[in-house]
Amino acid sequence: MQYPTLGRSGLRVSRACLGTMNFGTDPQAPTPEPEARRIVDAFLDAGHNFIDTADTYRGGTSEEVLGRAIAHRRAEVVLATKGAAPQGGGPNSRGLSRLHLTRALEASLRRLGTDYIDLYQCHLPDPDTPAEETMAVLDDFVRSGKVRYLGCSNFTAAGIVTAQWAAQRTGGTPLISLQANYSLIMRAIEAEIVPTCRQNGLGILAYSPLGSGLLAGRYQRGAAPAEGSRLAQWAAMPSPMARSFVSGLLAERHFDIADEVAAVAAELGTTAPAVALAWLSGRPEITSVIVGPRSVDQLTAALAGLAGSLPEPVAARLNVVSQGTVAPAVNGQHRAA
């Protein structure tokens, strides 16, 4: 079992991180509490220690379910959660302000039933709040003992640098991690975000490693997402951003990549998800891969995929077919050389 340090810190985390977005207590939750507890125990029993949630998952019930599941094993867990997402309709019920983050952290601690969070992350950027304010209140959380380490999610390269400079100017605690969407069909972070993280001491946590299920063969070229699937739910949302995400994900070039993953899986006698996860776990820029299983069986399969490796010619072949998903680095005039 490997436990690399997370970014420029001494915090050691497992190469697999258990994502708990599916955990909840509502009837529509993909993973009800009894199965969630079995997943958590199986994950920890296998030697992994890193678990991630957020205050917005399943209306906060993901945190509640996870808190009860780890109550008897809290010392074994590197517990990560996130704040910033809307928690109500008020003007101060979202973002990275001192007011909202303080409320969000206290609510997460209550739901998780713990005195401290190991990794507290800014879930989304907030262009309306000065970075100095955000980094100062996060530093207060660390100094109070309620938080051990700080991270961010979905930040741009510029946002990462701005946050680190703000922490430095205020004598505060820097960020040590970034959560980013990363897979064979989503390699945009490689051009600028990956080197920025390397230069600024952030480890990278990859979420959506199977491209929202496309790399697992859950969606078919030219066909609408099946009723009840996650993409079907997003496509039905009134949000133009959600619909745009679905149409972009189901692009022809992404199906070309998924077809190549399936072909490799057939050649190696394994599954498409195992191939996609093995490719990702072999990327040197990634500290940990977030998997979000709905069942113990899915967890077992995901962990096996992450533990596997691909022959170099196969990995190179997948690199080539997915190269078009790497966003080009740019400067003020044109693509950077």
Side-chain angles (χ1 to χ4, degrees), residues 24-259:
T25 58
D26 59 287
Q28 288 74 42
T31 306
E33 186 160 356
E35 185 67 6
R37 292 193 178 204
R38 286 189 285 270
I39 290 171
V40 168
D41 282 338
F43 182 78
L44 296 177
D45 289 345
H48 307 280
N49 70 346
F50 197 14
I51 304 181
D52 177 73
T53 185
D55 60 1
T56 192
Y57 294 166
R58 311 304 305 181
T61 63
S62 170
E63 288 186 326
E64 293 174 358
V65 169
L66 178 59
R68 289 190 287 268
I70 66 172
H72 64 300
R73 308 182 71 169
R74 178 64 183 91
E76 299 177 51
V77 177
V78 175
L79 176 61
T81 193
K82 301 181 282 290
Q87 295 295 299
N92 290 305
S93 297
R94 67 188 68 201
L96 300 178
S97 69
R98 177 177 290 274
L99 178 58
H100 177 66
L101 284 180
T102 301
R103 290 173 174 171
L105 174 63
E106 294 297 338
S108 287
L109 290 169
R110 286 194 300 271
R111 285 190 292 265
L112 287 162
T114 186
D115 296 328
Y116 66 97
I117 306 297
D118 295 296
L119 178 66
Y120 193 66
Q121 303 156 101
C122 301
H123 202 161
L124 300 161
D126 177 6
D128 297 323
T129 299
E132 288 82 2
E133 178 179 338
T134 298
M135 298 310 294
V137 69
L138 292 175
D139 181 62
D140 288 345
F141 295 165
V142 173
R143 293 177 186 274
S144 72
K146 295 179 180 179
V147 167
R148 302 294 192 250
Y149 297 91
L150 304 174
C152 62
S153 179
N154 303 307
F155 274 34
T156 63
I160 292 167
V161 173
T162 299
Q164 297 298 70
W165 283 357
Q168 187 177 48
R169 286 195 299 271
T170 59
T173 305
L175 305 174
I176 65 164
S177 67
L178 167 76
Q179 277 199 33
N181 190 338
Y182 190 48
S183 69
L184 276 162
I185 64 170
M186 195 66 67
R187 296 176 59 186
I189 67 170
E190 291 181 19
E192 298 186 346
I193 292 176
V194 167
T196 298
C197 287
R198 186 183 306 118
Q199 293 162 7
N200 286 271
L202 277 68
I204 299 177
L205 315 175
Y207 71 78
S208 198
L210 299 180
S212 298
L214 191 144
L215 294 172
R218 294 178 194 152
Y219 304 100
Q220 304 304 314
R221 191 191 302 264
E227 184 176 353
S229 67
R230 183 178 298 177
L231 290 192
Q233 295 171 3
W234 288 348
M237 291 180 178
S239 165
M241 184 180 297
R243 295 196 299 272
S244 175
F245 172 78
V246 173
S247 62
L249 186 70
L250 299 179
E252 285 295 310
R253 68 175 184 176
H254 293 165
F255 281 107
D256 291 341
I257 297 168
D259 288 347

